[in-house]
Every structure is written in structure tokens, then in C-alpha cells.
Amino acid sequence: MFGVFKRQPVAHDEPTPVVAHRTESSCDPMTMAVSLARDTSGLGMEAAQLRGTLEDTSAVAQNQADSLHQLTSQLQGIVQAQSLIDDLTGQGLQSVSQARDSVAHVGREVSGVVSTLKDVAGAATEITRIALQTRLVAFNASVEAKRAGVAGAGFSVVADAVKDLATQVESSSKAIMSTVAQLDQRIQSLAQELTSEAVAGSASHGQHLTFFESLARVEDSVQQINQAAQESRSSSDLIHAQIDIMGQEMNATRQALGGALKRSETVLGVSERLMEMIASCGVKTADTPYVELACSVASQLSNVLDQAVSQGRISLADLFDERYRPMEGTQPQQHEARFNSLTDQLFPAIQEPALNALPDVVFCIAADRNGYISTHNKVYCHKQRPGDLIWNTANSRWRRVFNDRTGLASARNTRPFLLQTYRRDMGGGKFVLLKEVAAPIMVQGRHWGGLRLAYRF
């Protein structure tokens, strides 16, 4: 069917010699057009490469900007944590100071208790002395009562009772003095623990730490934490300042890349329009066979779709369906449309032979006006592998929407043909530099989409 299409040989590698004088042949319009077509094709290739490089660089810059934004957020979290540490350590130091004051007050109260206990011990000693004297007096009275005989019998009983009572008082006083002595020893030990004067002595002799010494060490540790937090916050402030500078430079770079990308697109558009104009003038170039093939395939697809509508195989509403339904579990995302079954039946018989009609054809597919590819070439219509994004991107390209610059331009073109140059993403960081000819597909007088024929340089 497509045997009449032949690629015109055009020398790309041989440089055009520089001559000193123009000859009649060098001014021939056809020769100039062919030369211009070759140069324009080279310009398009370089522009496509440049645009691809700028797109990659822009993507890297965007990723860096996103990472920088995340870093800034994390740094803000660190600063907040440092502020919290600063507040907490300040509260800790205040609590230690309050504890020190409280313990000092307790120490003073304990000292008062010690003094009171000394007074109690003194009173108990005095009671013991009085009890001893009372016992001696009672003993003497008892002796005198016995000398008095029967007359002193009652007095003797009283004297004995007083002597026994004095003995009990003396015993109780001695018990009080013993208990006070033990309590005094314990309180003296507690007072020593609670007084700051004992710190130096205990530390110098390697004894256990006193409360004040432990409190001092806690205070010192809290101060070190506070100092470290303040130093860390100062470092974070410097880092934040550097990140701000980096962010400003990154934004400037992104703006510059955006401007360069727009300029490269302008250059690419100029080269594409030049190639299209030359081909439209009837000049036979290397692109001419591909333009003719694309127009022929588009015409055939228009005819079979027209016939399908006329025969009632599908309605215009279903053929122009734009409610694409996502296919669950697909990545990249695939969609279904109401005309899938029809295109699967009609398109392969027309699209597949075009792949071998000319050399270097990469694909020949029909896209609706939104860039949706219902039926791709068979080599790209494999079922997706779950979780294998790279393989799916390269090998499962059907039922997908390609609404990039090239895809939409080809799908929405209504001129006789459109010639473009671009890089095709094959997944996994692999790209192929291609030319693409697009021709409109018309059904019942309405623009359904475009035929996309891509080939290598």
C-alpha cells in the first residue's frame, strides 16, 4: 500500500563548501531550497536538543528548589526545638535556684530543730539531776521515819513512794536523753547534707555527694545544655541565612532557565515553520516522503471512521467521547473511552503497515484532539507490569493521554500537515530525538484528531 513512498537521500554530514564567486547553479532556487531544508533540519535538531537539555536542567532546578524548601521547613523545626530547649533549660535553672533556696531554708529549720533538741537534752539532764536529789532526800526521809518507829510509819510509806517515783523520773529522763542524742546525731547528719559548707569538704575527701553538690552539678549540666542550644541556634541562624541566599539564587536560575526555554521554543518553532514552508512549496526534501505518508494514513483513517458512523457501528457522540475513565492500578495512568473497541478493530490494519513503509519510522498513531491515544502500534501495546514504571512508560503507551507540547500540537492541528522536532521520553532517563509529521483526521466534517508519524533523523 505504501510502496510508492521513498525517502529522498539528503547529505547531512558533508559540509557546504565555501566558494569565492557565485555560479548560476548556486543561485538555482531548487538548490537553495534543498540546502535551506538541510540547514533548517539541522537547526531543528539542535533546537530540539537544546530544548530537551533546558527541560532537564529546569527539572533538576525544580527538584533542587523543592529539596531546599523541605530543608528550610526542617531547619525551622530545628529552630523551634532549640527555642523549646532554651525555654525549658531556663525553667530548669529557675527550678534549681528555687530548690537551692528551699533546701537552704530547710537547712536553717533543721538547725533550729537541733538547737531545740539541745534545749530538750538540757532540760532532761536537769530533770535527772533533780530526780537524783529527790531520791536522796526521799532516802534520808525514809531512814528518819524508821528511826521514829510507829510514829513515822506513814511518813516512811510516803518517803518510799517518793523515792520510787524519783527513780522512775530519773529513768525516763535518761531514756529521753538517749533518744535525743540519737535524734541529734541523725539531724546533725541531715544538716550536714543540707549545708553548702559541707560541699568542699566532702568532695575533697572523696565522700558521697551532698545535696547541694548534686544540685550544683545538675545546675552546671543544665547550663551546658542551654549554652549548647544557644550555639546550635546561632549555627542554625547562619545556615538559614545561607539557605535564603541559595533560594534567591535558585529562583534567579529558574527564571533564567524559563526565559531560555521560551527562547529555545521560539527557535524550534521557527525551524519547524521553515521546514513546513519548504515542504509546502513542493521542494523535495528528506521530509517529503514522511509528509506524504502521514497525509495518506490520515485520509485512510478519516474514511474508515466516516464509514463506521454511516454504517451505525458507532455514534458521533461515542466517537467524540471525552469522558476518559481512569484504569485502576495503572502507572503511568491509562484511560478508557467509548470508542476503544472500534479503534482497536480499525486502526491496526492502517497504522501497522506504515511502520515499514519508510526507513526509521518509530510510530504511526492516531490521537484524538486531546492527545488521547486509544490504539497504539502493537509493539507499544503491552499490558502493564505492576510496579515497573520504567518498563510501562516505554512499552505500554496505549490508552494514555499525551498532552505535551508536541502531542497537543499534532492532535489539534487542522492544517494539511504539521512538522515538529522533539525528544521522546522512553522512560528511565532515555530519550530519542525525533521528527514528527501530523495530519488532521476529519469525521463527518468535524475534526476528530490527528495522525502522528514520527521518525528518526
Side-chain angles (χ1 to χ4, degrees):
M1 182 186 300
F2 301 112
V4 296
F5 300 102
K6 295 183 179 180
R7 186 174 187 174
Q8 301 297 321
V10 177
H12 292 279
D13 300 327
E14 294 296 329
T16 303
V18 179
V19 295
H21 304 284
R22 294 183 178 179
T23 61
E24 183 178 355
S25 60
S26 65
C27 295
D28 179 65
M30 188 62 66
T31 303
M32 293 178 63
V34 172
S35 177
L36 181 59
R38 182 179 66 246
D39 294 341
T40 302
S41 178
L43 176 62
M45 181 176 66
E46 294 298 330
Q49 289 279 31
L50 176 59
R51 177 180 172 80
T53 302
L54 289 173
E55 288 177 344
D56 294 342
T57 306
S58 297
V60 171
Q62 182 61 50
N63 291 335
Q64 291 175 344
D66 294 341
S67 300
L68 196 63
H69 178 71
Q70 294 177 359
L71 179 60
T72 302
S73 299
Q74 293 172 355
L75 187 60
Q76 290 175 349
I78 293 174
V79 171
Q80 291 176 356
Q82 290 167 342
S83 298
L84 180 60
I85 291 173
D86 188 44
D87 293 340
L88 293 176
T89 52
Q91 295 175 10
L93 290 173
Q94 185 178 3
S95 298
V96 169
S97 177
Q98 292 175 353
R100 186 189 300 278
D101 294 340
S102 298
V103 171
H105 176 71
V106 172
R108 290 192 295 272
E109 293 297 324
V110 168
S111 297
V113 173
V114 171
S115 177
T116 302
L117 288 176
K118 288 181 179 180
D119 294 340
V120 172
T125 301
E126 182 65 19
I127 291 172
T128 301
R129 186 182 65 79
I130 295 173
L132 179 61
Q133 292 176 355
T134 302
R135 190 175 63 176
L136 289 174
V137 171
F139 177 76
N140 291 332
S142 177
V143 171
E144 292 296 330
K146 288 181 179 180
R147 288 178 180 178
V150 177
F155 185 77
S156 176
V157 172
V158 173
D160 289 340
V162 170
K163 183 179 66 174
D164 293 340
L165 183 60
T167 299
Q168 292 177 7
V169 170
E170 182 183 4
S171 178
S172 297
S173 297
K174 288 181 178 180
I176 290 173
M177 291 174 64
S178 176
T179 302
V180 168
Q182 294 177 3
L183 185 59
D184 180 67
Q185 184 178 2
R186 293 178 180 176
I187 293 178
Q188 287 284 2
S189 177
L190 176 61
Q192 186 178 10
E193 293 288 339
L194 296 176
T195 55
S196 58
E197 289 79 4
V199 174
S202 64
S204 61
H205 291 85
Q207 299 175 359
H208 67 278
L209 299 178
T210 66
F211 183 82
F212 268 97
E213 186 174 12
S214 300
L215 202 61
R217 293 195 175 187
V218 170
E219 185 176 22
D220 183 60
S221 298
V222 173
Q223 288 176 343
Q224 290 178 1
I225 293 173
N226 188 42
Q227 183 179 0
Q230 290 177 352
E231 292 176 355
S232 177
R233 186 168 184 176
S234 297
S235 299
S236 297
D237 290 340
L238 293 176
I239 294 174
H240 199 280
Q242 292 296 325
I243 289 178
D244 286 341
I245 295 175
M246 291 173 59
Q248 294 173 4
E249 293 176 349
M250 187 69 67
N251 288 333
T253 301
R254 290 172 58 193
Q255 291 176 359
L257 285 172
L261 190 60
K262 290 181 179 179
R263 292 185 178 91
S264 70
E265 185 171 349
T266 300
V267 174
L268 183 59
V270 170
S271 67
E272 291 172 347
R273 286 193 295 274
L274 285 173
M275 288 187 292
E276 186 176 335
M277 288 174 60
I278 293 171
S280 300
C281 292
V283 178
K284 297 294 183 180
T285 67
D287 300 313
T288 300
Y290 297 96
V291 173
E292 294 173 348
L293 177 60
C295 293
S296 174
V297 174
S299 177
Q300 294 177 58
L301 292 176
S302 296
N303 290 335
V304 295
L305 290 177
D306 264 328
Q307 293 175 8
V309 173
S310 299
Q311 295 170 0
R313 296 177 62 180
I314 191 171
S315 66
L316 280 176
D318 288 345
L319 184 60
F320 283 83
D321 177 30
E322 292 185 346
R323 292 181 294 179
Y324 312 112
R325 300 177 297 280
M327 297 171 61
E328 185 177 355
T330 56
Q331 188 64 27
Q333 185 67 62
Q334 292 179 294
H335 299 79
E336 292 180 334
R338 296 202 300 269
F339 51 82
N340 290 152
S341 178
L342 180 68
T343 59
D344 287 345
Q345 296 173 26
L346 300 179
F347 285 6
I350 301 173
Q351 293 179 162
E352 295 302 311
L355 295 176
N356 300 314
L358 289 171
D360 298 322
V361 174
V362 177
F363 62 79
C364 178
I365 53 176
D368 76 355
R369 60 215 159 277
N370 295 316
Y372 175 66
I373 307 298
S374 176
T375 305
H376 211 295
N377 297 129
K378 292 181 179 179
V379 69
Y380 301 116
C381 287
H382 296 286
K383 185 178 180 180
Q384 288 196 5
R385 297 176 180 176
D388 196 343
L389 177 61
I390 295 177
W391 190 90
N392 294 341
T393 300
N395 298 280
S396 185
R397 303 180 73 85
W398 59 324
R399 304 288 200 264
R400 286 169 56 187
V401 177
F402 294 91
N403 54 3
D404 55 287
R405 169 188 177 273
T406 304
L408 277 183
S410 294
R412 296 178 177 178
N413 170 59
T414 55
R415 300 195 302 272
F417 69 90
L418 174 67
L419 189 57
Q420 299 184 88
T421 307
Y422 68 102
R423 289 193 320 166
R424 185 191 189 200
D425 183 5
M426 301 300 296
K430 296 181 180 179
F431 297 89
V432 178
L433 190 62
L434 301 176
K435 281 185 178 181
E436 180 174 312
V437 182
I441 299 174
M442 308 297 294
V443 180
Q444 301 288 313
R446 295 174 58 182
H447 180 227
W448 182 85
L451 184 283
R452 300 179 60 182
L453 178 71
Y455 55 99
R456 294 184 181 88
F457 275 85

